[in-house]
Amino acid sequence: MKKILYTLITLLLLVSCDETVSDARLETSQPQIYPDYVGVTIPVNIAPLNFCMADEQATLIDAVITDRHGHSLHSQGEESVDFDIDDWQTLLAQNRGDSLSVTVSARYDDGWHTYTSFPIYVSSDSIDYGICYRLIEPGYEVWSKMGIYERDLSSFDERPLIENTQFEGCVNCHSFNRGNPADMSLHIRGPHGATLLRHDDSPLAAYDTKTDQTLGLCVYPYWHPSGNYIAYSTNTTRQLFHSADRNRIEVFDEASDLQVYDVEKNELLLSPLLKQDSVYETYPVFSADGRSLYFCAARALLEGSHELDSIRYDLCRIDFDPATGNFGSRIDTIVDASSKQKSVSFPRPSYDGRFLCYTLSDYGQFSIWHHEADLWLLDLMTGESRPMDGANSDDTDSFHNWSTNSRWLVLSSRRDDGLFTRPYFCHVDDKGNITKAFMLPQRNPRRFYRDRFFSFNVPDFIICPTNFDGRQASRIINSESRKNFGVRKNPKDD
């Protein structure tokens, strides 16, 4: 009884601390808030969309969210509104497939201002449990602290899977089979380089993926829907500063090939069509049915040439037989971007087989440094491509992945400040209609994004917690034990 009484008193004190919005000037415009959540469509199970005033001059912010059934939610704060998570989730559940109205008031030196209300649309489509990403400083040749992290999308909970303070090197290229962390590939670079693999929740193992028949280590992984294969590229990559345009740096391939790893047989499957010296092949992904392999391909530069802005990738496809592990006998060009002086990177097919999202930039394949990069949507039924106007911005919009229900896309964008990459989300319905993208919610968004000098790199959805033991992984990385990949050629090519 005393505990209940204490809780009630605490709630009354909190309520009494809120200042009443009075004598407010009524504005005819909607508020300018950070992040911009005005008119966005959100999943029914997303964390609260806390926000600040964009101009940073307000001394107090007040927000009231109402629905058409008479339910409401209120928050007030000096820096940011901070909605109660339980109340927020209840309100979203009550308005699944409907909309909410948000009324914002802000107190300035001249008093209160109340702005025109704006809508937030609550989709009936839920989003996956969370996302997994790498946090890295936006540097060039060197790095400091970095790690792989997972974030619960229904709350603000974040935890590290592994950080490079646990070993000497770099962590990158994390991949899951349709968001299921039971199938996982994680690449480690540096003096303790390895590829960490687990399949069907098997114990984690470290592999040396370089063979005498391939260019180098396996990177850019993508799982086959069966879980029996992983597509990889192997790249000889360089980066340098150049003056081709306003991009400060370019990451480019001097050579690159593709291969598919047979998880059960511990063999790399090779085809001469996917390892041509005259072609750079990269970013392989399996189709939703697992019977095709999409990838990006560009004509290789002539020896001695340094015209990096002439390297342009098309979207290509080759057949793949999951029963035998054999490749098809021809390569088809699906999006001929090079003929339009454009370049394709990061193809990602939706898991329902309906669409394929890719990044389009002026040249090259590392579009995260290209300010002109935008997302495009390929309709796999009609073959038509179009820009994803609702999701794109005036700055870099690049790497992306689909949710497992194929209704949400997480994308990497530099629209916030032009320097740091932040994760955004947009809804894509079964007809390809795209909603306005919104930034990953944080409890105090301005303080979080301003104080954290890291870019969110390679975000991918996960359907549940990864249950990844970072201490065990660091012991495996720091050991000298590595398994080797075998190689099996395509029987058709013998």
Side-chain angles (χ1 to χ4, degrees), residues 91-335:
L91 186 65
L92 262 57
Q94 291 169 336
N95 291 275
R96 187 171 192 150
D98 208 334
S99 63
L100 303 170
S101 179
V102 185
T103 302
V104 176
S105 300
R107 188 186 67 191
Y108 291 90
D109 290 342
D110 62 350
W112 282 99
H113 295 247
T114 297
Y115 298 88
T116 301
S117 301
F118 65 85
I120 290 178
Y121 304 98
V122 184
S123 173
S124 58
D125 295 319
S126 60
I127 203 165
D128 290 324
Y129 157 78
I131 57 173
C132 190
Y133 43 82
R134 180 171 67 158
L135 290 178
I136 184 172
E137 294 174 341
Y140 304 112
E141 297 288 349
V142 297
W143 64 81
S144 178
K145 180 182 177 182
M146 69 169 68
I148 306 293
Y149 302 80
E150 67 178 56
R151 160 73 188 266
D152 182 348
L153 290 177
S154 65
S155 72
F156 303 111
D157 295 339
E158 178 189 77
R159 81 170 190 91
L161 275 64
I162 189 168
E163 297 173 316
N164 69 337
T165 54
Q166 300 168 264
F167 62 94
E168 183 183 358
C170 162
V171 290
N172 67 343
C173 293
H174 56 279
S175 177
F176 312 97
N177 184 10
R178 298 191 175 209
N180 187 350
D183 288 338
M184 180 178 182
S185 175
L186 173 62
H187 185 56
I188 307 296
R189 290 189 296 186
H192 301 285
T195 293
L196 303 184
L197 286 178
R198 72 178 181 192
H199 176 46
D200 285 340
D201 270 335
S202 61
L204 199 65
Y207 288 82
D208 179 356
T209 60
K210 188 180 187 309
T211 74
D212 59 3
Q213 298 184 48
T214 53
L215 280 175
L217 298 172
C218 291
V219 295
Y220 304 146
Y222 194 92
W223 286 81
H224 191 271
S226 68
N228 295 329
Y229 302 99
I230 311 173
Y232 287 104
S233 68
T234 180
N235 306 62
T236 302
T237 303
R238 297 288 183 267
Q239 64 176 347
L240 52 78
F241 291 89
H242 69 113
S243 57
D245 59 18
R246 67 191 182 104
N247 295 305
R248 296 180 60 193
I249 191 171
E250 186 63 33
V251 178
F252 63 98
D253 288 336
E254 290 186 336
S256 56
D257 294 328
L258 303 183
Q259 54 267 308
V260 170
Y261 175 61
D262 187 324
V263 179
E264 300 294 335
K265 296 180 180 179
N266 188 34
E267 291 180 334
L268 285 177
L269 314 179
L270 308 179
S271 168
L273 292 177
L274 300 176
K275 53 195 312 292
Q276 303 181 59
D277 292 341
S278 61
V279 178
Y280 300 148
E281 304 99 345
T282 192
Y283 298 137
V285 292
F286 287 108
S287 60
D289 63 5
R291 303 194 65 82
S292 297
L293 187 70
Y294 292 99
F295 59 96
C296 300
R299 184 176 300 173
L301 284 180
L302 297 176
E303 187 175 353
S305 174
H306 300 288
E307 298 177 356
L308 301 182
D309 54 348
S310 69
I311 304 175
R312 294 186 172 92
Y313 289 77
D314 297 321
L315 177 65
C316 298
R317 186 191 66 83
I318 190 171
D319 289 339
F320 180 76
D321 185 352
T324 62
N326 292 336
F327 298 96
S329 57
R330 72 177 193 188
I331 292 175
D332 297 315
T333 299
I334 307 301
V335 175

Side-chain angles (χ1 to χ4, degrees), residues 434-449:
I434 303 152
T435 63
K436 176 180 176 179
F438 66 93
M439 188 188 285
L440 175 67
Q442 306 293 347
R443 188 174 296 280
N444 185 324
R446 177 175 291 123
R447 179 169 294 189
F448 180 92
Y449 288 117

